[in-house]
Amino acid sequence: MIIVLRLGHRRERDKRLSTHVGLTARAFGADKIVYSGEKDSSLLSSVKRVAKRWGGSFQVCYEKGWRNFLQKKKNEGFKVIHLTMYGEDFGKTIKKLKGDLLLVVGGPKVPGDLYGTADFNVSVGNQPHSEVAALALVLDRVVDWQHKKFPDAELEVKPCQKGKLIVKR
Ligand code: SAM
């Protein structure tokens, strides 16, 4: 199982970015997104709505106490991978990874203790960029997302060279 934990959501400023973190997690094969920071019901419902329309069993939830959540997952055997520009090259770490993963991405300021609690602090290059980009690249290495199925979708894209073709079920 792959869970993405997105820290430090701010209702007013991060709505779009946090939505994209959730949609990226889902599209590239994570099983669940957990938001922390400010509780934002409209964020949760908009990611849930997309997940329902486009199929699959992606879960969306909020955790106020991310430290307790992270420790609980560690106790269950999850490896905690913190994505940060200060970490070691993710390519090296990814090779060692097996089993359940908790991928943690930050927001405005990542609390310092996370660096110690995480099993691995990994970077996708050592330049500052975005949680969406970092997450997509890491998931690309750990999930065979091209073959992922999204059962019970209400909407499905039929790829075509020109225009848009969407099938409604
Ligand atoms: N200044 C923040 C801090 O204290 O770390 C970083 C904020 S950055 C805009 C938001 C998130 O994007 C980070 O917490 C991290 O998860 C992700 N991120 C940005 N650049 C990254 C990189 N080069 N490698 C891995 N993750 C990165």
Side-chain angles (χ1 to χ4, degrees):
M1 179 168 207
I2 299 182
I3 301 177
V4 174
L5 171 62
R6 195 270 198 269
L7 298 179
H9 172 71
R10 296 165 298 181
R11 245 189 320 267
E12 294 308 318
R13 294 181 59 177
D14 295 332
K15 195 168 281 296
R16 199 171 148 79
L17 187 56
S18 293
T19 301
H20 289 179
V21 172
L23 298 185
T24 300
R26 174 185 171 274
F28 296 120
D31 300 287
K32 179 172 180 172
I33 177 98
V34 177
Y35 291 103
S36 194
E38 293 177 6
K39 185 159 188 188
D40 185 345
S41 310
S42 77
L43 165 69
L44 299 186
S45 56
S46 74
V47 179
K48 280 181 190 169
R49 193 165 50 245
V50 174
K52 183 170 181 300
R53 294 186 91 193
W54 292 90
S57 53
F58 188 69
Q59 297 167 54
V60 184
C61 72
Y62 172 78
E63 287 282 345
K64 187 175 168 64
W66 66 267
R67 288 182 179 84
N68 287 345
F69 174 76
L70 193 147
Q71 194 54 54
K72 183 165 156 260
K73 289 295 152 195
K74 271 185 109 163
N75 296 344
E76 289 172 12
F78 278 73
K79 286 271 172 281
V80 176
I81 319 295
H82 171 213
L83 279 52
T84 164
M85 63 182 280
Y86 306 106
E88 282 197 326
D89 172 33
F90 79 114
K92 279 195 217 159
T93 309
I94 291 305
K95 290 181 198 146
K96 305 178 209 162
L97 299 178
K98 287 193 190 78
D100 295 329
L101 302 179
L102 177 61
L103 303 177
V104 186
V105 294
K109 174 133 181 65
V110 176
D113 56 318
L114 176 62
Y115 292 83
T117 326
D119 294 299
F120 301 97
N121 293 287
V122 304
S123 63
V124 179
N126 296 110
Q127 302 297 320
H129 47 81
S130 145
E131 45 274 54
V132 173
L135 180 62
L137 284 162
V138 169
L139 285 172
D140 183 49
R141 296 279 182 97
V142 295
V143 182
D144 181 17
W145 60 269
Q146 283 96 336
H147 295 104
K148 190 175 167 60
K149 301 268 183 274
F150 292 92
D152 303 322
E154 292 166 19
L155 300 174
E156 198 179 307
V157 170
K158 293 287 171 207
C160 58
Q161 210 174 40
K162 287 188 178 168
K164 301 178 192 174
L165 189 51
I166 296 181
V167 178
K168 291 190 181 168
R169 307 233 169 255

